Amino acid sequence: MVNDLINSNSSTTQILILKAARKIFIKKGLSGARMQEIADEAGINKALLHYYYRTKDNLFNAVFMEALKHIQSEFFIILNSDRDLFDKIRFFFDRYISFLQENSFLPGFIIHEINQNPDRLVEFFKNAGIRPPINLIIQVSEEVKNQRIIPINPIQFLLNMLSLAIFPIIASPLIKGIFEIDDPDYKDIIEQRKKELAEWFIDSIMIKKSSNEEQKE
Amino acid sequence: MVNDLINSNSSTTQILILKAARKIFIKKGLSGARMQEIADEAGINKALLHYYYRTKDNLFNAVFMEALKHIQSEFFIILNSDRDLFDKIRFFFDRYISFLQENSFLPGFIIHEINQNPDRLVEFFKNAGIRPPINLIIQVSEEVKNQRIIPINPIQFLLNMLSLAIFPIIASPLIKGIFEIDDPDYKDIIEQRKKELAEWFIDSIMIKKSSNEEQKE
DNA sequence: ATATGGTTTAACCAATTGGTTAAAATTAAA
DNA sequence: TTTAATTTTAACCAATTGGTTAAACCATAT
Protein backbone atom coordinates (compact mmCIF):
# COMPACT_ATOMS: atom_id res chain seq x y z
CA MET A 1 0.00 0.00 0.00
CA VAL A 2 0.94 3.56 -0.51
CA ASN A 3 1.88 5.56 2.52
CA ASP A 4 1.06 9.19 2.53
CA LEU A 5 4.19 10.00 4.48
CA ILE A 6 7.48 9.06 2.97
CA ASN A 7 8.89 6.69 5.57
CA SER A 8 12.03 4.62 5.77
CA ASN A 9 10.69 1.38 4.35
CA SER A 10 8.58 2.07 1.33
CA SER A 11 10.30 5.30 0.43
CA THR A 12 12.95 4.12 -1.99
CA THR A 13 10.74 3.27 -4.93
CA GLN A 14 8.34 6.04 -4.20
CA ILE A 15 11.17 8.55 -4.21
CA LEU A 16 12.60 6.99 -7.33
CA ILE A 17 9.28 7.53 -9.03
CA LEU A 18 8.98 11.06 -7.74
CA LYS A 19 12.43 11.92 -9.03
CA ALA A 20 11.63 10.53 -12.44
CA ALA A 21 8.27 12.26 -12.52
CA ARG A 22 9.90 15.50 -11.50
CA LYS A 23 12.35 15.29 -14.36
CA ILE A 24 9.77 14.44 -17.00
CA PHE A 25 6.99 16.74 -15.86
CA ILE A 26 9.27 19.71 -15.42
CA LYS A 27 10.73 19.19 -18.86
CA LYS A 28 7.52 18.41 -20.75
CA GLY A 29 4.69 19.71 -18.65
CA LEU A 30 1.54 17.88 -17.63
CA SER A 31 0.07 17.41 -21.08
CA GLY A 32 3.40 16.63 -22.72
CA ALA A 33 4.54 14.01 -20.23
CA ARG A 34 3.78 10.29 -20.70
CA MET A 35 3.32 7.84 -17.89
CA GLN A 36 5.37 5.27 -19.79
CA GLU A 37 8.22 7.72 -20.09
CA ILE A 38 8.18 8.35 -16.36
CA ALA A 39 8.19 4.63 -15.67
CA ASP A 40 11.13 4.17 -18.03
CA GLU A 41 12.99 7.04 -16.41
CA ALA A 42 12.45 5.47 -13.01
CA GLY A 43 13.53 2.08 -14.33
CA ILE A 44 10.28 0.42 -13.39
CA ASN A 45 7.13 -0.64 -15.18
CA LYS A 46 3.88 1.18 -15.65
CA ALA A 47 1.93 -1.14 -13.38
CA LEU A 48 4.14 -0.29 -10.44
CA LEU A 49 3.84 3.36 -11.23
CA HIS A 50 0.08 3.17 -10.94
CA TYR A 51 0.47 1.01 -7.86
CA TYR A 52 2.11 3.92 -6.06
CA TYR A 53 0.37 6.86 -7.67
CA ARG A 54 -2.99 5.80 -8.94
CA THR A 55 -3.42 8.50 -11.56
CA LYS A 56 -1.33 10.84 -13.63
CA ASP A 57 -3.00 13.78 -11.95
CA ASN A 58 -2.03 12.38 -8.60
CA LEU A 59 1.59 12.11 -9.53
CA PHE A 60 1.60 15.47 -11.20
CA ASN A 61 0.14 17.15 -8.17
CA ALA A 62 2.83 15.66 -5.98
CA VAL A 63 5.50 17.01 -8.29
CA PHE A 64 3.87 20.37 -8.77
CA MET A 65 3.22 21.03 -5.12
CA GLU A 66 6.75 20.02 -4.21
CA ALA A 67 8.17 22.28 -6.92
CA LEU A 68 6.07 25.23 -5.88
CA LYS A 69 7.01 24.74 -2.26
CA HIS A 70 10.65 24.51 -3.23
CA ILE A 71 10.85 27.71 -5.23
CA GLN A 72 8.62 29.55 -2.84
CA SER A 73 10.40 28.58 0.35
CA GLU A 74 13.76 29.54 -1.09
CA PHE A 75 12.28 32.91 -1.89
CA PHE A 76 10.69 33.42 1.49
CA ILE A 77 13.70 32.24 3.47
CA ILE A 78 15.75 34.92 1.79
CA LEU A 79 13.17 37.65 2.16
CA ASN A 80 12.45 36.88 5.79
CA SER A 81 16.07 36.58 6.82
CA ASP A 82 17.12 38.97 9.53
CA ARG A 83 19.18 41.42 7.55
CA ASP A 84 19.52 45.00 6.62
CA LEU A 85 17.63 45.74 3.39
CA PHE A 86 20.72 46.22 1.28
CA ASP A 87 22.31 43.04 2.55
CA LYS A 88 19.10 41.25 1.87
CA ILE A 89 19.16 42.44 -1.71
CA ARG A 90 22.73 41.19 -2.12
CA PHE A 91 21.81 37.92 -0.49
CA PHE A 92 18.80 37.57 -2.74
CA PHE A 93 20.51 38.06 -6.06
CA ASP A 94 23.39 35.82 -5.16
CA ARG A 95 21.48 32.97 -3.63
CA TYR A 96 18.30 33.03 -5.68
CA ILE A 97 20.09 33.16 -8.98
CA SER A 98 22.33 30.30 -7.87
CA PHE A 99 19.25 28.39 -6.91
CA LEU A 100 17.69 29.08 -10.28
CA GLN A 101 20.83 28.04 -12.12
CA GLU A 102 20.55 24.64 -10.53
CA ASN A 103 16.82 24.47 -11.19
CA SER A 104 16.59 26.28 -14.46
CA PHE A 105 13.38 24.65 -15.66
CA LEU A 106 11.54 25.07 -12.40
CA PRO A 107 10.15 28.59 -12.78
CA GLY A 108 9.08 28.06 -16.38
CA PHE A 109 7.34 24.86 -15.41
CA ILE A 110 5.49 26.47 -12.54
CA ILE A 111 4.46 29.52 -14.50
CA HIS A 112 3.23 27.43 -17.41
CA GLU A 113 1.22 25.09 -15.27
CA ILE A 114 -0.29 27.90 -13.26
CA ASN A 115 -1.33 29.54 -16.50
CA GLN A 116 -2.97 26.29 -17.54
CA ASN A 117 -4.87 26.00 -14.31
CA PRO A 118 -4.69 28.98 -11.94
CA ASP A 119 -6.86 27.21 -9.39
CA ARG A 120 -3.99 24.94 -8.50
CA LEU A 121 -2.16 27.93 -7.07
CA VAL A 122 -5.06 29.02 -4.92
CA GLU A 123 -5.38 25.50 -3.58
CA PHE A 124 -1.67 25.36 -2.85
CA PHE A 125 -1.56 28.62 -0.96
CA LYS A 126 -4.56 27.58 1.06
CA ASN A 127 -3.04 24.22 1.99
CA ALA A 128 0.43 25.52 2.72
CA GLY A 129 -0.77 28.58 4.57
CA ILE A 130 1.47 30.88 2.60
CA ARG A 131 1.33 34.60 3.14
CA PRO A 132 2.76 37.52 1.19
CA PRO A 133 6.25 38.58 2.30
CA ILE A 134 4.98 41.37 4.55
CA ASN A 135 8.30 41.48 6.32
CA LEU A 136 10.11 42.85 3.33
CA ILE A 137 7.24 45.05 2.27
CA ILE A 138 7.35 46.76 5.66
CA GLN A 139 11.12 46.95 5.52
CA VAL A 140 10.97 48.69 2.15
CA SER A 141 8.29 51.09 3.34
CA GLU A 142 10.41 51.96 6.36
CA GLU A 143 13.47 52.68 4.28
CA VAL A 144 11.38 54.88 2.04
CA LYS A 145 10.09 56.74 5.04
CA ASN A 146 13.61 57.12 6.43
CA GLN A 147 14.68 58.46 3.06
CA ARG A 148 17.37 55.85 2.65
CA ILE A 149 15.78 54.75 -0.62
CA ILE A 150 13.73 56.51 -3.23
CA PRO A 151 9.95 56.47 -2.92
CA ILE A 152 8.91 53.22 -4.52
CA ASN A 153 5.92 50.96 -4.25
CA PRO A 154 7.19 47.86 -2.42
CA ILE A 155 5.34 45.66 -4.86
CA GLN A 156 7.17 47.27 -7.75
CA PHE A 157 10.35 46.86 -5.79
CA LEU A 158 9.82 43.13 -5.41
CA LEU A 159 8.56 42.75 -8.94
CA ASN A 160 11.77 44.31 -10.20
CA MET A 161 13.93 42.01 -8.12
CA LEU A 162 12.06 38.93 -9.22
CA SER A 163 12.04 39.97 -12.86
CA LEU A 164 15.76 40.66 -12.97
CA ALA A 165 16.58 37.36 -11.32
CA ILE A 166 14.12 34.97 -12.91
CA PHE A 167 13.51 36.11 -16.46
CA PRO A 168 17.04 35.58 -17.80
CA ILE A 169 16.81 32.00 -16.59
CA ILE A 170 13.42 31.03 -17.93
CA ALA A 171 13.94 32.79 -21.25
CA SER A 172 17.50 31.63 -21.73
CA PRO A 173 16.94 29.66 -24.94
CA LEU A 174 15.15 32.63 -26.45
CA ILE A 175 17.81 35.11 -25.36
CA LYS A 176 20.59 32.87 -26.58
CA GLY A 177 18.82 32.72 -29.91
CA ILE A 178 18.24 36.45 -30.25
CA PHE A 179 21.74 37.49 -29.26
CA GLU A 180 23.51 34.50 -30.79
CA ILE A 181 25.12 33.50 -27.54
CA ASP A 182 26.28 29.95 -26.88
CA ASP A 183 25.90 28.03 -23.64
CA PRO A 184 29.21 28.79 -21.91
CA ASP A 185 28.99 32.47 -22.83
CA TYR A 186 25.49 32.67 -21.45
CA LYS A 187 26.63 31.01 -18.26
CA ASP A 188 29.23 33.77 -17.94
CA ILE A 189 26.56 36.39 -18.40
CA ILE A 190 24.50 34.92 -15.60
CA GLU A 191 27.59 34.77 -13.40
CA GLN A 192 28.20 38.41 -14.15
CA ARG A 193 24.64 39.20 -13.17
CA LYS A 194 25.10 37.41 -9.90
CA LYS A 195 28.07 39.65 -9.16
CA GLU A 196 26.85 43.01 -10.43
CA LEU A 197 23.08 43.03 -10.28
CA ALA A 198 22.79 43.65 -6.56
CA GLU A 199 25.10 46.65 -6.47
CA TRP A 200 23.47 48.19 -9.51
CA PHE A 201 20.03 47.62 -8.07
CA ILE A 202 20.99 49.05 -4.69
CA ASP A 203 22.52 52.04 -6.39
CA SER A 204 19.34 52.59 -8.35
CA ILE A 205 17.17 52.89 -5.25
CA MET A 206 19.57 54.33 -2.71
CA ILE A 207 19.39 58.00 -1.86
CA LYS A 208 22.91 59.38 -1.66
CA LYS A 209 23.42 62.06 0.90
CA SER A 210 24.11 65.23 -1.05
CA SER A 211 27.08 67.39 0.04
CA ASN A 212 24.94 70.32 1.20
CA GLU A 213 23.24 68.29 3.90
CA GLU A 214 26.17 66.25 5.06
CA GLN A 215 26.26 68.00 8.38
CA LYS A 216 23.06 66.20 9.37
CA GLU A 217 23.41 62.96 11.35
CA MET B 1 -6.36 23.55 -52.57
CA VAL B 2 -4.43 25.49 -50.02
CA ASN B 3 -2.73 28.63 -51.13
CA ASP B 4 0.51 29.59 -49.52
CA LEU B 5 -0.35 33.22 -49.77
CA ILE B 6 -3.45 34.42 -48.09
CA ASN B 7 -5.44 35.86 -50.96
CA SER B 8 -8.82 37.49 -51.22
CA ASN B 9 -10.90 34.44 -52.10
CA SER B 10 -9.85 31.59 -49.90
CA SER B 11 -8.57 33.71 -47.08
CA THR B 12 -11.67 33.97 -44.95
CA THR B 13 -11.78 30.42 -43.72
CA GLN B 14 -8.05 30.04 -43.60
CA ILE B 15 -7.76 33.13 -41.47
CA LEU B 16 -10.64 31.96 -39.34
CA ILE B 17 -8.76 28.75 -38.71
CA LEU B 18 -5.53 30.55 -37.99
CA LYS B 19 -7.25 32.81 -35.50
CA ALA B 20 -8.80 29.86 -33.72
CA ALA B 21 -5.54 27.93 -33.74
CA ARG B 22 -3.74 30.94 -32.36
CA LYS B 23 -6.14 31.21 -29.50
CA ILE B 24 -6.05 27.54 -28.58
CA PHE B 25 -2.36 26.90 -29.10
CA ILE B 26 -1.29 30.00 -27.22
CA LYS B 27 -3.52 29.10 -24.33
CA LYS B 28 -2.81 25.37 -24.16
CA GLY B 29 0.45 24.81 -25.98
CA LEU B 30 1.16 22.27 -28.68
CA SER B 31 0.67 19.16 -26.59
CA GLY B 32 -2.31 20.54 -24.74
CA ALA B 33 -4.27 21.71 -27.76
CA ARG B 34 -6.77 19.48 -29.55
CA MET B 35 -7.60 19.68 -33.22
CA GLN B 36 -11.27 19.25 -32.44
CA GLU B 37 -11.13 22.18 -30.07
CA ILE B 38 -9.58 24.36 -32.74
CA ALA B 39 -12.24 23.31 -35.23
CA ASP B 40 -14.96 24.13 -32.72
CA GLU B 41 -13.38 27.48 -31.96
CA ALA B 42 -13.31 28.26 -35.67
CA GLY B 43 -16.91 27.12 -36.05
CA ILE B 44 -16.03 24.51 -38.63
CA ASN B 45 -15.51 20.78 -38.67
CA LYS B 46 -12.37 18.74 -38.32
CA ALA B 47 -12.38 17.61 -41.94
CA LEU B 48 -12.16 21.16 -43.19
CA LEU B 49 -9.43 21.90 -40.72
CA HIS B 50 -7.30 19.13 -42.17
CA TYR B 51 -8.30 20.23 -45.64
CA TYR B 52 -6.51 23.53 -45.08
CA TYR B 53 -3.71 22.46 -42.77
CA ARG B 54 -2.93 18.85 -43.29
CA THR B 55 -1.37 18.17 -39.92
CA LYS B 56 -1.38 19.54 -36.42
CA ASP B 57 2.32 20.28 -36.69
CA ASN B 58 1.65 22.26 -39.83
CA LEU B 59 -0.93 24.40 -38.16
CA PHE B 60 1.14 24.79 -35.05
CA ASN B 61 4.15 25.93 -37.02
CA ALA B 62 2.07 28.56 -38.77
CA VAL B 63 0.90 29.88 -35.42
CA PHE B 64 4.26 29.66 -33.75
CA MET B 65 6.20 31.35 -36.52
CA GLU B 66 3.65 34.10 -36.73
CA ALA B 67 3.77 34.63 -32.98
CA LEU B 68 7.51 34.71 -32.87
CA LYS B 69 7.65 37.16 -35.72
CA HIS B 70 5.06 39.32 -34.01
CA ILE B 71 6.80 39.63 -30.68
CA GLN B 72 10.20 39.90 -32.27
CA SER B 73 9.36 42.56 -34.81
CA GLU B 74 7.70 44.72 -32.19
CA PHE B 75 10.88 44.48 -30.19
CA PHE B 76 13.18 45.25 -33.08
CA ILE B 77 11.12 48.12 -34.42
CA ILE B 78 11.45 49.81 -31.07
CA LEU B 79 15.13 49.11 -30.68
CA ASN B 80 16.02 50.18 -34.19
CA SER B 81 13.98 53.36 -34.12
CA ASP B 82 15.95 56.50 -34.70
CA ARG B 83 16.04 57.96 -31.25
CA ASP B 84 18.29 59.08 -28.50
CA LEU B 85 19.04 56.23 -26.10
CA PHE B 86 16.99 57.63 -23.26
CA ASP B 87 14.03 58.29 -25.51
CA LYS B 88 14.34 54.80 -26.83
CA ILE B 89 14.15 53.42 -23.31
CA ARG B 90 11.00 55.45 -22.63
CA PHE B 91 9.54 54.34 -25.91
CA PHE B 92 10.38 50.73 -25.18
CA PHE B 93 8.79 50.48 -21.76
CA ASP B 94 5.68 52.26 -22.84
CA ARG B 95 5.08 50.52 -26.11
CA TYR B 96 6.39 47.07 -25.37
CA ILE B 97 4.47 46.74 -22.13
CA SER B 98 1.32 47.94 -23.88
CA PHE B 99 1.95 45.36 -26.55
CA LEU B 100 2.40 42.65 -23.94
CA GLN B 101 -0.75 43.69 -22.11
CA GLU B 102 -2.70 43.01 -25.25
CA ASN B 103 -0.85 39.76 -25.89
CA SER B 104 -0.30 38.56 -22.38
CA PHE B 105 -0.01 34.87 -23.22
CA LEU B 106 2.34 35.35 -26.15
CA PRO B 107 5.71 35.44 -24.39
CA GLY B 108 4.90 32.52 -22.11
CA PHE B 109 3.74 30.50 -25.07
CA ILE B 110 6.88 31.21 -27.05
CA ILE B 111 9.23 30.56 -24.17
CA HIS B 112 7.51 27.32 -23.31
CA GLU B 113 7.53 26.00 -26.85
CA ILE B 114 11.12 26.99 -27.40
CA ASN B 115 12.04 25.12 -24.27
CA GLN B 116 10.22 22.09 -25.62
CA ASN B 117 12.04 22.26 -28.91
CA PRO B 118 14.87 24.78 -29.19
CA ASP B 119 15.54 23.80 -32.79
CA ARG B 120 12.39 25.58 -33.86
CA LEU B 121 14.01 28.86 -32.87
CA VAL B 122 17.16 28.21 -34.88
CA GLU B 123 15.05 27.32 -37.88
CA PHE B 124 13.02 30.47 -37.46
CA PHE B 125 15.97 32.80 -37.20
CA LYS B 126 17.51 31.20 -40.26
CA ASN B 127 14.33 31.57 -42.31
CA ALA B 128 13.53 35.09 -41.18
CA GLY B 129 17.09 36.32 -41.39
CA ILE B 130 16.95 37.88 -37.98
CA ARG B 131 20.03 39.48 -36.50
CA PRO B 132 20.83 40.64 -32.99
CA PRO B 133 19.92 44.29 -32.30
CA ILE B 134 23.42 45.57 -32.99
CA ASN B 135 22.07 49.05 -33.36
CA LEU B 136 21.21 49.40 -29.76
CA ILE B 137 24.26 47.50 -28.57
CA ILE B 138 26.47 50.03 -30.34
CA GLN B 139 24.36 52.86 -29.04
CA VAL B 140 24.79 51.66 -25.49
CA SER B 141 28.52 51.17 -25.93
CA GLU B 142 28.80 54.70 -27.27
CA GLU B 143 26.97 56.22 -24.35
CA VAL B 144 29.21 54.28 -22.00
CA LYS B 145 32.26 55.59 -23.78
CA ASN B 146 30.90 59.14 -23.67
CA GLN B 147 30.30 58.69 -19.96
CA ARG B 148 26.63 59.51 -20.25
CA ILE B 149 25.78 56.17 -18.68
CA ILE B 150 27.57 53.91 -16.25
CA PRO B 151 29.84 51.18 -17.60
CA ILE B 152 27.49 48.30 -18.34
CA ASN B 153 27.61 45.29 -20.62
CA PRO B 154 25.05 46.05 -23.36
CA ILE B 155 23.75 42.51 -23.11
CA GLN B 156 23.08 43.00 -19.41
CA PHE B 157 21.45 46.29 -20.27
CA LEU B 158 19.07 44.64 -22.69
CA LEU B 159 18.48 41.70 -20.43
CA ASN B 160 17.43 44.06 -17.68
CA MET B 161 15.03 45.91 -19.94
CA LEU B 162 13.47 42.73 -21.22
CA SER B 163 13.21 41.20 -17.77
CA LEU B 164 11.54 44.23 -16.26
CA ALA B 165 9.02 44.45 -19.08
CA ILE B 166 8.19 40.84 -19.77
CA PHE B 167 8.38 38.95 -16.50
CA PRO B 168 5.53 40.72 -14.70
CA ILE B 169 3.30 39.80 -17.63
CA ILE B 170 4.16 36.16 -18.05
CA ALA B 171 4.22 35.48 -14.32
CA SER B 172 1.14 37.49 -13.52
CA PRO B 173 -0.97 34.62 -12.15
CA LEU B 174 1.88 33.61 -9.90
CA ILE B 175 2.54 37.13 -8.70
CA LYS B 176 -1.13 37.74 -8.11
CA GLY B 177 -1.17 34.58 -6.03
CA ILE B 178 1.88 35.40 -3.96
CA PHE B 179 0.92 38.97 -3.20
CA GLU B 180 -2.81 38.36 -3.02
CA ILE B 181 -3.58 40.92 -5.68
CA ASP B 182 -6.74 40.79 -7.75
CA ASP B 183 -7.05 41.45 -11.45
CA PRO B 184 -7.91 45.18 -11.49
CA ASP B 185 -5.26 45.93 -8.88
CA TYR B 186 -2.66 44.08 -10.88
CA LYS B 187 -3.65 46.00 -13.96
CA ASP B 188 -2.99 49.19 -12.02
CA ILE B 189 0.42 47.93 -11.03
CA ILE B 190 1.31 47.27 -14.64
CA GLU B 191 0.05 50.71 -15.59
CA GLN B 192 2.22 52.20 -12.89
CA ARG B 193 5.20 50.29 -14.28
CA LYS B 194 4.51 51.68 -17.71
CA LYS B 195 4.70 55.16 -16.27
CA GLU B 196 7.58 54.87 -13.83
CA LEU B 197 9.83 52.10 -15.03
CA ALA B 198 11.55 54.08 -17.76
CA GLU B 199 12.49 57.02 -15.57
CA TRP B 200 13.73 54.79 -12.81
CA PHE B 201 15.73 52.71 -15.25
CA ILE B 202 17.24 55.77 -16.92
CA ASP B 203 18.12 57.19 -13.54
CA SER B 204 19.83 53.95 -12.61
CA ILE B 205 22.22 54.06 -15.55
CA MET B 206 22.64 57.77 -16.13
CA ILE B 207 25.77 59.50 -14.92
CA LYS B 208 24.81 62.77 -13.33
CA LYS B 209 27.25 65.55 -13.79
CA SER B 210 28.59 66.35 -10.34
CA SER B 211 28.70 70.03 -9.27
CA ASN B 212 32.49 70.28 -9.27
CA GLU B 213 32.72 69.60 -12.98
CA GLU B 214 29.70 71.52 -14.19
CA GLN B 215 31.86 74.12 -15.90
CA LYS B 216 32.80 71.55 -18.52
CA GLU B 217 30.83 71.37 -21.81
C1' DA C 1 -27.06 24.04 -66.75
C1' DT C 2 -22.91 22.45 -65.30
C1' DA C 3 -18.49 22.42 -63.61
C1' DT C 4 -15.75 23.88 -59.72
C1' DG C 5 -14.19 24.52 -55.27
C1' DG C 6 -15.54 25.10 -50.51
C1' DT C 7 -18.09 22.77 -46.81
C1' DT C 8 -20.56 19.34 -44.17
C1' DT C 9 -21.63 14.89 -42.49
C1' DA C 10 -20.44 10.92 -40.55
C1' DA C 11 -18.41 6.93 -40.44
C1' DC C 12 -14.05 5.07 -39.95
C1' DC C 13 -8.93 3.92 -38.85
C1' DA C 14 -4.75 3.22 -36.48
C1' DA C 15 -1.93 4.72 -32.92
C1' DT C 16 -1.46 6.45 -28.49
C1' DT C 17 -2.47 6.72 -23.92
C1' DG C 18 -4.12 6.37 -19.09
C1' DG C 19 -5.35 2.85 -16.50
C1' DT C 20 -6.56 -2.20 -15.03
C1' DT C 21 -6.05 -6.96 -14.03
C1' DA C 22 -4.49 -11.26 -12.60
C1' DA C 23 -1.04 -14.37 -12.13
C1' DA C 24 3.65 -15.26 -11.30
C1' DA C 25 8.03 -14.09 -9.26
C1' DT C 26 10.79 -11.93 -5.94
C1' DT C 27 11.90 -9.94 -1.61
C1' DA C 28 11.55 -8.95 3.10
C1' DA C 29 9.32 -9.63 7.59
C1' DA C 30 7.28 -12.67 11.15
C1' DT D 1 9.15 -21.50 6.88
C1' DT D 2 5.31 -19.10 6.26
C1' DT D 3 3.27 -14.74 5.38
C1' DA D 4 2.75 -10.46 3.55
C1' DA D 5 4.22 -6.87 0.71
C1' DT D 6 6.81 -5.56 -3.72
C1' DT D 7 7.69 -5.99 -8.32
C1' DT D 8 7.34 -7.88 -12.94
C1' DT D 9 5.09 -9.59 -16.91
C1' DA D 10 1.98 -9.16 -20.25
C1' DA D 11 -2.19 -9.07 -21.88
C1' DC D 12 -6.00 -6.20 -22.07
C1' DC D 13 -9.51 -2.17 -22.11
C1' DA D 14 -11.77 2.01 -23.16
C1' DA D 15 -11.24 6.58 -24.38
C1' DT D 16 -8.87 9.93 -26.89
C1' DT D 17 -6.80 11.70 -30.72
C1' DG D 18 -4.73 12.87 -35.24
C1' DG D 19 -5.97 11.98 -39.54
C1' DT D 20 -8.70 9.89 -43.69
C1' DT D 21 -12.35 8.99 -46.82
C1' DA D 22 -16.21 9.33 -49.71
C1' DA D 23 -20.50 10.87 -50.65
C1' DA D 24 -23.47 14.58 -50.59
C1' DC D 25 -24.46 19.61 -50.37
C1' DC D 26 -24.10 24.34 -51.58
C1' DA D 27 -22.61 28.48 -53.70
C1' DT D 28 -20.99 30.81 -57.59
C1' DA D 29 -18.97 31.72 -61.85
C1' DT D 30 -18.82 30.50 -66.60
Side-chain angles (χ1 to χ4, degrees), chain B residues 1 13 45 47-48 51-52:
Chain B
M1 272 296 124
T13 306
N45 54 321
L48 195 59
Y51 173 78
Y52 278 98

Side-chain angles (χ1 to χ4, degrees), chain A:
Chain A
M1 272 296 124
V2 180
N3 296 329
D4 274 291
L5 297 175
I6 298 169
N7 60 35
S8 52
N9 296 333
S10 66
S11 67
T12 321
T13 305
Q14 213 173 334
I15 286 180
L16 211 70
I17 292 175
L18 208 63
K19 271 186 187 168
R22 208 183 286 154
K23 184 170 170 185
I24 303 298
F25 276 131
I26 287 178
K27 209 198 304 181
K28 309 215 166 172
L30 170 57
S31 65
R34 301 287 160 244
M35 291 301 267
Q36 186 59 58
E37 203 182 352
I38 293 172
D40 291 348
E41 176 71 34
I44 57 161
N45 53 322
K46 216 176 49 165
L48 194 60
L49 219 181
H50 282 96
Y51 173 77
Y52 278 99
Y53 295 87
R54 264 163 315 190
T55 67
K56 189 186 186 184
D57 263 358
N58 241 320
L59 183 53
F60 175 82
N61 274 331
V63 168
F64 180 77
M65 293 302 170
E66 184 205 50
L68 198 52
K69 188 165 236 156
H70 195 191
I71 203 167
Q72 186 272 156
S73 82
E74 188 74 17
F75 179 55
F76 275 59
I77 284 171
I78 295 171
L79 294 197
N80 289 326
S81 71
D82 194 23
R83 290 162 191 264
D84 170 65
L85 179 64
F86 294 157
D87 267 357
K88 204 176 271 191
I89 292 169
R90 291 187 189 97
F91 187 46
F92 170 81
F93 281 115
D94 185 66
R95 177 159 164 179
Y96 207 60
I97 291 179
S98 295
F99 168 76
L100 292 173
Q101 279 181 305
E102 282 157 26
N103 301 275
S104 53
F105 285 94
L106 247 195
F109 166 68
I110 286 168
I111 286 168
H112 182 249
E113 296 300 340
I114 288 174
N115 282 344
Q116 296 309 301
N117 182 358
D119 292 336
R120 256 197 280 273
L121 187 70
V122 181
E123 190 197 340
F124 172 77
F125 280 118
K126 226 169 31 195
N127 290 348
I130 287 166
R131 316 260 65 199
I134 322 174
N135 242 13
L136 189 86
I137 293 177
I138 292 174
Q139 203 170 12
V140 171
S141 308
E142 284 294 319
E143 299 292 18
V144 169
K145 204 191 289 171
N146 298 341
Q147 300 197 356
R148 282 191 72 201
I149 66 173
I150 60 173
I152 186 171
N153 179 344
I155 302 287
Q156 302 287 1
F157 177 98
L158 274 165
L159 220 37
N160 292 345
M161 278 189 21
L162 285 171
S163 301
L164 292 164
I166 300 177
F167 181 80
I169 304 288
I170 76 178
S172 75
L174 180 62
I175 302 292
K176 282 187 265 186
I178 292 179
F179 296 107
E180 294 179 357
I181 301 171
D182 61 16
D183 270 10
D185 279 356
Y186 198 71
K187 205 174 164 279
D188 288 347
I189 287 173
I190 300 294
E191 288 298 334
Q192 192 186 23
R193 285 181 87 70
K194 233 183 343 190
K195 279 195 217 116
E196 299 177 358
L197 214 45
E199 295 310 323
W200 169 71
F201 186 75
I202 288 172
D203 235 59
S204 78
I205 56 165
M206 191 167 56
I207 294 179
K208 291 115 192 157
K209 288 192 183 13
S210 74
S211 48
N212 44 342
E213 54 174 337
E214 65 194 358
Q215 66 276 17
K216 277 186 182 172
E217 190 184 33

Side-chain angles (χ1 to χ4, degrees), chain B residues 40-87:
Chain B
D40 292 347
E41 176 70 35
I44 58 160
N45 54 321
K46 216 174 48 162
L48 195 59
L49 218 181
H50 283 95
Y51 173 78
Y52 278 98
Y53 296 87
R54 263 163 316 188
T55 66
K56 189 186 185 184
D57 264 357
N58 240 321
L59 184 52
F60 175 80
N61 274 331
V63 169
F64 180 76
M65 294 303 170
E66 184 205 51
L68 198 52
K69 185 165 238 157
H70 196 193
I71 203 168
Q72 187 271 157
S73 82
E74 188 74 17
F75 179 55
F76 275 57
I77 285 171
I78 294 171
L79 294 198
N80 290 326
S81 71
D82 194 23
R83 288 163 192 264
D84 170 67
L85 180 63
F86 294 156
D87 266 357

